[in-house]
Amino acid sequence: MSLPRLTIYRHDRRNRSLITLAGEIDPATAPRVRDALERCLDDGISTIDVDLTPLGSCDGTGLQVFLDASEHAATAHASLRLHHPSPQTSQLLARTGAAPQLLGPPRAPAPPHLPRDLRTTAPPSSPYGM
């Protein structure tokens, strides 16, 4: 008995779905990913988050599935975002220019934390401008 090369988990909450992919996406498994993502849109899901943490590898076939699903989601006024890609998948997204579409815009760095009480760190001011 052989183990499946790809396992797909789906968890819905209202109009949002989390799809977790474990295994490999290649020409043999890509149709299953396409079906799972299309089913989300058919079910009226407007936000599809795809967790790639347990994904071993993704080839160009898998990338094309994600790009097609993202475009289909956009025409249905929905969104599809990939989360936690492996270094290999991140490189594939970067080399092909698909990262902005599938990962979303880069996040701005968090602002530095300010002291709780600025009066304790700022020099005392003079009412006379000195």
Side-chain angles (χ1 to χ4, degrees):
M1 180 175 158
S2 66
L3 295 175
R5 295 189 325 191
L6 180 70
T7 305
I8 301 171
Y9 302 96
R10 178 176 167 182
H11 179 74
D12 294 347
R13 179 172 281 168
R14 295 188 182 100
N15 63 347
R16 185 176 202 128
S17 187
L18 173 64
I19 303 291
T20 303
L21 302 174
E24 301 174 5
I25 303 175
D26 56 27
T29 59
R32 293 181 52 217
V33 176
R34 182 181 306 278
D35 291 344
L37 298 174
E38 291 297 325
R39 198 170 310 119
C40 287
L41 295 172
D42 291 344
D43 291 345
I45 299 294
S46 61
T47 303
I48 304 168
D49 294 304
V50 182
D51 181 10
L52 302 178
T53 303
L55 187 68
S57 65
C58 176
D59 68 2
T61 308
L63 174 62
Q64 191 60 54
V65 167
F66 291 135
L67 288 169
D68 292 345
S70 175
E71 290 173 11
H72 186 206
T75 60
H77 304 289
S79 67
L80 179 138
R81 291 285 179 255
L82 304 182
H83 301 275
H84 312 291
S86 69
Q88 177 262 343
T89 303
S90 294
Q91 289 174 357
L92 177 65
L93 295 170
R95 279 194 321 263
T96 59
Q101 180 179 349
L102 296 174
L103 298 175
R107 296 178 188 224
H113 292 290
L114 294 175
R116 288 186 185 169
D117 186 356
L118 294 176
R119 292 176 292 176
T120 61
T121 59
S125 61
S126 166
Y128 304 108
M130 296 183 180

